[in-house]
Amino acid sequence: MSNSRILSGYRPTGRLHLGHLWGNLRQMVELQEEGECYFFVADWHALTTEYQDPSRLSEYVEEMVLDWLAVGLDPERAVIYRQSDLPQVAELQLYLSMITPLGWLERVPTYKEQQEQLKNRDIATHGFLGYPVLQAADILIVRGERVPVGEDQLPHLELTREIVRRFNFLYGKTFEEPQAVLSPTPRIPGTDGRKMSKSYGNYVGLDDEPGVVKEKVLSMVTDPARRTRKDPGDPEKCSAFQLHKIYTPDRLDEIGGNCRTAGWGCVECKGILAERVIEDLLPFQERRRELEKKPGLVSEVLREGRRKVAPLADEVLSEVRRRMGIGRA
Ligand code: SF4
């Protein structure tokens, strides 16, 4: 499907990492060629888990937009805006909340999962439970048709589709059901083997200095069967090997073979990976440094994005208000 409307948003919770880059950032860059893209900085979503300490939120917004631009998102080809600059999203979330049964939200798998994983934070809040409704509002406020997601985000998108069906049933056909665009890259493991995430502190940052990248890659968990240098391993049980598949595709046979026969140790193997990651990050880091020299760039990009998206959001919201019997004097 080409020329469709594509929507993607990121929570600004700090500098971006390899999980973002391979999860769908590169895909977003390519999608700019395929359709009408809306990329937003989800600062309200960030508050769902970070509400206790928002002191760095605006700094993170700035950092993230600079990272986006350095990776190749282009304000000339995509509308780049900040969620909180579009109050229409919050109003739409309110209307969608009215028709979303509580049970739908409670059964979203990430709800319970995140409660388990983020035990150090109190996220038993209305805002956190309701964030899939906010996501639905994000998508529907621009009539998004295609949404790049990872497999773990599919239940959220399904919830949006259910909300659309319910809305259309209650008030007449208003929205199309958005479709998922699955990331071509499988889950990116962090240094501890869990999904790479800022919250877990297991990430390799796009801005990490070569020495830091090396240190983090060398600390990655490997096949536990390789307790000593002489023990053979299974690369498929190793997090570092998952990254080798992305960064070292030309040497996979050699790497797999040396792992299975204990031909080399994990330090040597991860050293090769670290070199490739460092090399791949360098052009991004150079572009990022150039962009930092342009004061006011991020404000300008977000202002322009807001100017472009607001008329569309107004049009959607006035139709929703009309269908739900909400008048404006
Ligand atoms: S040799 Fe390489 S692929 Fe095998 S367990 Fe060690 S780091 Fe992983």
Side-chain angles (χ1 to χ4, degrees):
M1 197 193 303
S2 60
N3 293 323
S4 51
R5 198 169 282 161
I6 299 159
L7 176 99
S8 189
Y10 266 53
R11 285 155 38 99
T13 51
R15 293 292 303 272
L16 299 181
H17 53 65
L18 299 187
H20 298 117
L21 184 66
W22 294 102
N24 72 349
L25 257 183
R26 289 193 187 237
Q27 189 188 24
M28 283 160 69
V29 173
E30 285 165 17
L31 286 170
Q32 294 180 126
E33 306 297 333
E34 278 185 36
E36 194 183 323
C37 287
Y38 292 81
F39 298 144
F40 70 98
V41 184
D43 52 348
W44 281 332
H45 280 289
L47 281 181
T48 59
T49 53
E50 313 298 320
Y51 66 91
Q52 283 166 321
D53 180 14
S55 54
R56 300 186 67 191
L57 186 52
S58 56
E59 176 195 333
Y60 287 160
V61 170
E62 169 109 12
E63 297 283 1
M64 206 183 76
V65 174
L66 285 173
D67 279 350
W68 273 4
L69 300 178
V71 166
L73 298 192
D74 179 355
E76 298 291 320
R77 289 185 292 171
V79 181
I80 297 175
Y81 60 99
R82 174 169 41 201
Q83 186 183 33
S84 64
D85 282 339
L86 210 57
Q88 294 91 329
V89 174
E91 189 177 335
L92 181 57
Q93 186 205 12
L94 178 78
Y95 297 139
L96 300 180
S97 299
M98 302 298 172
I99 66 164
T100 306
L102 207 48
W104 288 7
L105 298 172
E106 285 166 340
R107 70 162 197 250
V108 172
T110 45
Y111 177 64
K112 287 213 170 76
E113 234 170 74
Q114 292 269 298
Q115 298 267 15
E116 281 293 305
Q117 300 278 5
L118 302 176
K119 278 206 171 97
N120 55 339
R121 286 176 230 178
D122 180 6
I123 50 173
T125 59
H126 177 206
F128 186 69
L129 177 67
Y131 85 83
V133 185
L134 184 55
Q135 285 185 327
D138 291 322
I139 297 168
L140 300 180
I141 200 72
V142 297
R143 299 191 187 281
E145 295 167 285
R146 298 170 72 202
V147 184
V149 285
E151 296 245 357
D152 55 342
Q153 290 282 315
L154 280 175
H156 292 169
L157 191 64
E158 189 48 41
L159 189 67
T160 296
R161 292 157 57 87
E162 283 181 282
I163 292 173
V164 165
R165 289 196 284 271
R166 191 166 168 89
F167 192 99
N168 290 346
F169 173 74
L170 290 169
Y171 309 111
K173 181 78 188 283
T174 308
F175 296 112
E176 297 293 334
E177 291 180 35
Q179 308 296 321
V181 185
L182 271 178
S183 163
T185 315
R187 193 183 79 118
I188 303 297
T191 51
D192 59 1
R194 291 188 289 174
K195 179 183 173 181
M196 189 176 284
S197 161
K198 195 88 184 175
S199 318
Y200 304 155
N202 63 359
Y203 63 95
V204 177
L206 299 190
D207 62 327
D208 281 344
E209 299 283 337
V212 177
V213 173
K214 189 163 184 184
E215 196 181 311
K216 288 183 178 175
V217 171
L218 289 179
S219 76
M220 285 192 86
V221 293
T222 55
D223 177 6
R226 295 214 68 184
R227 278 190 308 274
T228 70
R229 166 73 181 73
K230 288 182 184 156
D231 294 322
D234 177 354
E236 290 303 337
K237 292 182 181 160
C238 170
S239 299
F241 191 69
Q242 300 312 311
L243 287 187
H244 267 306
K245 286 181 182 170
I246 296 171
Y247 285 98
T248 332
D250 52 320
R251 295 182 65 181
L252 280 188
D253 288 346
E254 179 192 1
I255 292 162
N258 277 304
C259 178
R260 288 187 196 93
T261 59
W264 60 29
C266 290
V267 173
E268 190 177 350
C269 182
K270 290 191 278 190
I272 295 168
L273 175 61
E275 288 309 313
R276 286 285 177 101
V277 176
I278 291 166
E279 195 184 318
D280 190 70
L281 285 176
L282 277 182
F284 160 81
Q285 292 176 342
E286 274 168 29
R287 275 197 302 276
R288 181 65 162 76
R289 277 192 290 275
E290 286 305 309
L291 292 168
E292 280 163 23
K293 292 178 193 158
K294 300 180 179 173
L297 174 67
V298 172
S299 306
E300 178 54 33
V301 166
L302 294 178
R303 201 166 36 243
E304 187 56 16
R306 178 192 189 173
R307 190 187 66 75
K308 288 180 185 162
V309 71
L312 174 58
D314 284 337
E315 175 265 306
V316 171
L317 201 50
S318 63
E319 181 174 357
V320 169
R321 282 189 198 125
R322 184 173 55 76
R323 288 189 181 271
M324 292 185 81
I326 300 297
R328 289 262 147 150

